[in-house]
Amino acid sequence: MAKKQFKAESKRLLDLMINSIYTHKEIFLRELISNASDACDKLCYLSLTDDAVGLGRKDFQIRLTVDKDGRTLTVSDNGIGMDKADLENNLGVIASSGSYRFKQEVGNDAKDTDVIGQFGVGFYSAFMVADHISVVTRKYGADTAYLWQSSGVDGYTIIECERETPGTDIVLHIKPDTDDEKYSEFLEGWRIQELVRKYSDYIRFPIRMEVSKTRRKEGSPDDKPEYETYTEEETLNSMVPIWQRRKSSVKPEEYNKFYRDKFHDYTDPLGTIAVSAEGAVTYKALLFIPAAAPYDYYTKDYQAGLQLYSNGVLIMDKCADLLPEHFRFIRGVVDSPDLSLNISRELLQHDRQLKVIAGNLEKKIKGELLKLLQDERDKYETFWKQFGRQIKVGVVSDYGAHKDQLSDLLLFYSSTEKKNVTLAEYVSRCGADQKYLYYAAGDTPEKIDKLPQTELLRDKGVEILYFTEEADEFCAQILGKYQDKEFRSVQDQELEEGAAEKAQAAADAHKAVFDFVKETLGERVKEVKASARLKSHPVCLTAGEGLSFEMEKYFRAVQPDANIQADRILELNTEHPAFQALESAVSADPEKAKKYAELLYDQALLIAGLPLADPSAYTDLVCELMR
């Protein structure tokens, strides 16, 4: 029979598909299995009204057969099959989808079917791995079977053949290996099983294949056992995904096992979120809050995202668009029949459905985290230790766009409770007359405890939040306030009523000393002033408004060449003996007073955790004053 030619447009599209549209050759099997599933679904749907079909829901199957010697891989189904016209329309015209037409014809009556195909191009992905394809098919209700054959863009032939029952066999002749491509992997049973479980595990019809196994020969001696290889038919797919089951019918340990197996984690998740949504967008989701961050979580190499399925077929392994950045630690799956897929079924169009699903999931995740915080505090503390930094970054990012959503999830160490507390818990303990939400920043709670600036408030029993991470002060700046209480650093001069007046009175009384110290230190300090916050310490360093010392340390680490530096304001305790010694020296021995000023400034730098310009000079100065 004369070979028929693809239309010119189809030739160009076929060449484009084979070489460009699909990014991974392995997805050809996903496409063929999806087509076989569609064929089974169509006949299954027909059997509801036609008793002559003679097949029940459990009788449909997809079969894979490997012939290594002949280099063929066959995908067979007992679905509705095709006649000559179908072959011409579906395989002779690229991008003509019989499945799509079926969905259009039956409309809402097909809501219980899982027809997947939309574009009519998936079949041709097989030419990425095969140099020749044969299709043997017989349509239900027809007496004649047909053989469609093609080696690609050069065209195809259709002839009559024999097939006892309705259905389709697609026989791929796998290409020979090259230096760059090892096509023989698609003739290995283990590889076929791997691809089925990766992409088609939740196809609702059984996918079966003869699998090679090894067993001990019967009667072989114990000291020298002999083994033999045999084949056994196995169902490769699990068919019914756990997220399609009612939540009430799934035990917690089943969810935990699914999570551990699916995401290769040795620990159970801290929380499970099962979602079943219908309406404008229909989808099911199964999300998990991990107990531990992956080793690469806080690196640029980490890939966030949820596994995305359409009718049980894996579309994307990491769909980052379904998760906001602040919840990127979530793992899970989303399955929807309503997604607008692109032609290769590998990427998702950025459409309204995707945004609706992502928005709904964000609310569900926030709700589950709040539930953990309120009902299972120990679990939330575990979560916070692993992913708290991510929540803080979420508050700061996008110019604070998510701050109101995330503020209730924040935890900070409390000076009075000696543990992590929420902002709401802090405010609940504030007196009615406390205007501010006080915080202090440092490397550790122990170091912050020793800051001179915290002493006065702690002695009064005022609770202080300890900021020990880089993002903490940025969070405070972005939030501005919480429940009408402004964030206020303990380094702020006006911590209490009358503080400014008290400091000004001390400055006026000792003006000559402050002028002397400022002249001695020069541009190293912006200002030298009397302190109203120091109690037992002689000196401290503050940064004033804007950039804090902790922020300076952060920028110094990430942008060392930028030379970003906070202001340095030196505060002196006029009631401390060290200040009195300084004041005496200013009038009696100005040279010694200069050394005292240098010493107090260096001590203030050390207390603030800032580097000394010349550590050797500092130690020499201490030794000189000791003589």
Side-chain angles (χ1 to χ4, degrees):
M1 181 179 181
K3 181 174 292 186
K4 296 187 177 183
Q5 297 295 314
F6 293 113
K7 292 182 179 179
E9 295 81 358
S10 293
K11 284 186 177 182
R12 288 195 293 271
L13 181 56
L14 180 55
D15 182 67
L16 177 66
M17 287 178 50
I18 295 174
N19 297 295
S20 303
I21 288 182
Y22 292 99
T23 55
H24 301 290
K25 289 181 171 58
E26 64 185 31
I27 59 84
F28 81 91
L29 190 59
R30 177 192 72 182
E31 298 299 312
L32 296 184
I33 289 175
S34 295
N35 289 345
S37 176
D38 287 351
C40 291
D41 244 320
K42 292 172 188 176
L43 190 55
C44 183
Y45 174 77
L46 187 61
S47 70
L48 299 177
T49 56
D50 185 352
D51 294 337
V53 171
L55 296 175
R57 168 71 182 80
K58 296 181 179 180
D59 297 322
F60 292 97
Q61 62 175 303
I62 300 165
R63 185 176 296 277
L64 306 179
T65 306
V66 175
D67 179 358
K68 281 189 177 183
D69 295 333
R71 293 189 66 80
T72 62
L73 171 62
T74 303
V75 181
S76 304
D77 67 72
N78 58 344
I80 198 164
M82 291 177 282
D83 58 19
K84 186 175 183 179
D86 293 329
L87 288 171
E88 292 277 9
N89 292 328
N90 296 340
L91 302 189
V93 181
I94 301 172
S96 174
S97 171
S99 294
Y100 179 77
R101 289 194 299 274
F102 173 78
K103 291 171 73 174
Q104 295 292 102
E105 290 168 4
V106 300
N108 293 332
D109 292 337
K111 61 182 179 180
D112 292 328
T113 66
D114 283 333
V115 173
I116 302 163
Q118 295 185 51
F119 298 104
V121 299
F123 168 81
Y124 297 94
S125 65
F127 281 109
M128 291 190 296
V129 301
D131 53 21
H132 183 84
I133 299 177
S134 300
V135 179
V136 177
T137 184
R138 175 182 167 186
K139 189 169 186 176
Y140 170 75
D143 297 326
T144 305
Y146 292 91
L147 169 63
W148 181 98
Q149 296 187 87
S150 175
S151 296
V153 294
D154 61 339
Y156 63 93
T157 61
I158 300 177
I159 61 174
E160 293 185 6
C161 66
E162 296 294 326
R163 197 180 196 278
E164 292 185 3
T165 58
T168 301
D169 304 315
I170 299 175
V171 185
L172 310 183
H173 187 272
I174 303 300
K175 295 177 181 179
D177 293 339
T178 66
D179 292 339
D180 298 325
E181 299 288 350
K182 304 300 180 186
Y183 295 103
S184 294
E185 66 174 300
F186 302 116
L187 296 169
E188 297 291 343
W190 64 268
R191 181 65 167 135
I192 299 300
Q193 295 176 67
E194 181 181 73
L195 293 179
V196 169
R197 289 174 183 140
K198 178 178 180 180
Y199 291 107
S200 308
D201 196 33
Y202 306 118
I203 291 290
R204 68 174 185 166
F205 300 105
I207 303 170
R208 297 183 173 134
M209 186 174 77
E210 292 287 335
V211 177
S212 295
K213 296 186 175 183
T214 302
R215 64 187 171 196
R216 183 175 173 177
K217 284 186 178 180
E218 187 176 347
S220 64
D222 293 337
D223 56 341
K224 291 184 178 180
E226 297 178 12
Y227 297 91
E228 61 183 358
T229 301
Y230 68 103
T231 59
E232 183 176 273
E233 185 177 84
E234 275 193 6
T235 298
L236 306 183
N237 58 324
S238 57
M239 290 181 280
V240 180
I242 193 171
W243 61 81
Q244 293 286 1
R245 295 163 57 185
R246 290 192 304 273
K247 187 175 181 180
S248 59
S249 69
V250 184
K251 298 177 180 178
E253 50 267 31
E254 291 182 274
Y255 280 136
N256 292 344
K257 184 179 185 304
F258 173 81
Y259 168 77
R260 293 194 307 270
D261 293 346
K262 187 75 170 175
F263 301 103
H264 311 292
D265 197 340
Y266 63 91
T267 57
D268 289 338
L270 293 174
T272 301
I273 308 168
V275 182
S276 180
E278 294 183 356
V281 180
T282 299
Y283 69 93
K284 294 184 186 293
L286 185 57
L287 312 180
F288 300 94
I289 303 171
Y295 72 94
D296 62 343
Y297 180 75
Y298 288 107
T299 72
K300 63 180 181 180
D301 296 327
Y302 180 76
Q303 289 185 307
L306 302 177
Q307 287 193 339
L308 182 63
Y309 289 81
S310 179
N311 285 321
V313 177
L314 180 65
I315 303 302
M316 294 180 69
D317 191 48
K318 300 281 186 181
C319 184
D321 293 327
L322 286 171
L323 287 176
E325 183 68 14
H326 46 272
F327 291 153
R328 69 198 296 262
F329 49 82
I330 292 292
R331 291 171 166 175
V333 299
V334 173
D335 191 349
S336 173
D338 293 342
L339 301 175
S340 298
L341 305 179
N342 71 3
I343 195 170
S344 69
R345 199 154 46 191
E346 289 181 291
L347 301 173
L348 199 66
Q349 308 287 6
H350 295 269
D351 61 1
R352 185 184 64 83
Q353 289 96 332
L354 184 64
K355 293 178 181 178
V356 169
I357 295 174
N360 290 343
L361 294 182
E362 185 175 13
K363 294 175 184 176
K364 293 287 185 180
I365 295 167
K366 165 74 180 296
E368 184 64 23
L369 289 173
L370 279 178
K371 183 180 177 183
L372 272 185
L373 176 60
Q374 295 161 5
D375 300 340
E376 299 181 84
R377 187 59 171 258
D378 289 344
K379 282 189 176 182
Y380 192 81
E381 291 279 356
T382 299
F383 158 78
W384 187 256
K385 185 176 181 181
Q386 298 293 320
F387 302 108
R389 191 194 317 174
Q390 187 69 56
I391 301 298
K392 293 174 183 177
V393 171
V395 171
V396 175
S397 64
D398 298 330
Y399 304 99
H402 314 287
K403 65 178 183 179
D404 294 334
Q405 179 188 9
L406 300 176
S407 59
D408 290 334
L409 298 174
L410 294 170
L411 291 183
F412 298 103
Y413 187 86
S414 164
S415 63
T416 57
E417 302 301 306
K418 303 301 180 185
K419 63 181 181 180
N420 283 332
V421 300
T422 66
L423 298 179
E425 290 166 345
Y426 178 99
V427 171
S428 70
R429 290 188 288 269
C430 287
D433 58 341
Q434 182 175 322
K435 294 181 179 180
Y436 305 115
L437 196 156
Y438 294 111
Y439 68 87
D443 294 334
T444 65
E446 293 74 22
K447 288 185 178 181
I448 298 175
D449 265 336
K450 297 175 182 178
L451 285 177
Q453 295 96 323
T454 66
E455 186 176 26
L456 190 61
L457 286 177
R458 286 191 292 110
D459 285 351
K460 292 182 177 181
V462 176
E463 185 173 3
I464 306 170
L465 298 179
Y466 286 1
F467 288 179
T468 57
E469 291 191 335
E470 296 164 347
D472 291 348
E473 284 191 285
F474 293 102
C475 276
Q477 285 196 355
I478 289 293
L479 290 171
K481 61 182 180 179
Y482 181 83
Q483 294 187 10
D484 297 325
K485 291 191 183 293
E486 292 183 23
F487 283 89
R488 180 61 61 91
S489 170
V490 298
Q491 294 179 329
D492 193 297
Q493 179 67 45
E494 299 181 25
L495 289 178
E496 56 181 7
E497 295 292 338
E501 292 78 4
K502 181 180 177 182
Q504 187 59 51
D508 293 341
H510 307 280
K511 183 176 185 302
V513 178
F514 292 112
D515 290 344
F516 178 87
V517 174
K518 176 66 175 79
E519 184 179 352
T520 300
L521 298 178
E523 295 302 318
R524 285 177 285 173
V525 294
K526 180 181 180 181
E527 184 181 356
V528 180
K529 58 169 40 174
S531 178
R533 83 183 82 234
L534 294 175
K535 183 177 180 182
S536 63
H537 295 272
V539 67
C540 71
L541 205 62
T542 58
E545 296 182 0
L547 194 69
S548 71
F549 294 139
E550 294 306 311
M551 292 178 181
E552 176 186 321
K553 295 174 190 176
Y554 168 75
F555 286 119
R556 190 189 306 127
V558 299
Q559 300 179 28
D561 298 330
N563 196 29
I564 298 175
Q565 181 173 297
D567 291 333
R568 279 144 171 71
I569 300 172
L570 187 67
E571 295 190 13
L572 299 174
N573 182 357
T574 59
E575 298 178 1
H576 195 278
F579 181 84
Q580 296 165 11
L582 171 65
E583 189 169 36
S584 298
V586 168
S587 56
D589 188 349
E591 289 303 314
K592 179 177 282 191
K594 289 181 180 179
K595 294 174 182 177
Y596 284 163
E598 295 281 357
L599 181 65
L600 288 171
Y601 176 65
D602 284 348
Q603 287 178 338
L605 287 172
L606 290 172
I607 291 171
L610 297 171
L612 299 178
D614 189 346
S616 296
Y618 169 74
T619 57
D620 291 343
L621 179 59
V622 172
C623 293
E624 182 180 347
L625 291 171
M626 291 174 65
R627 286 199 297 267

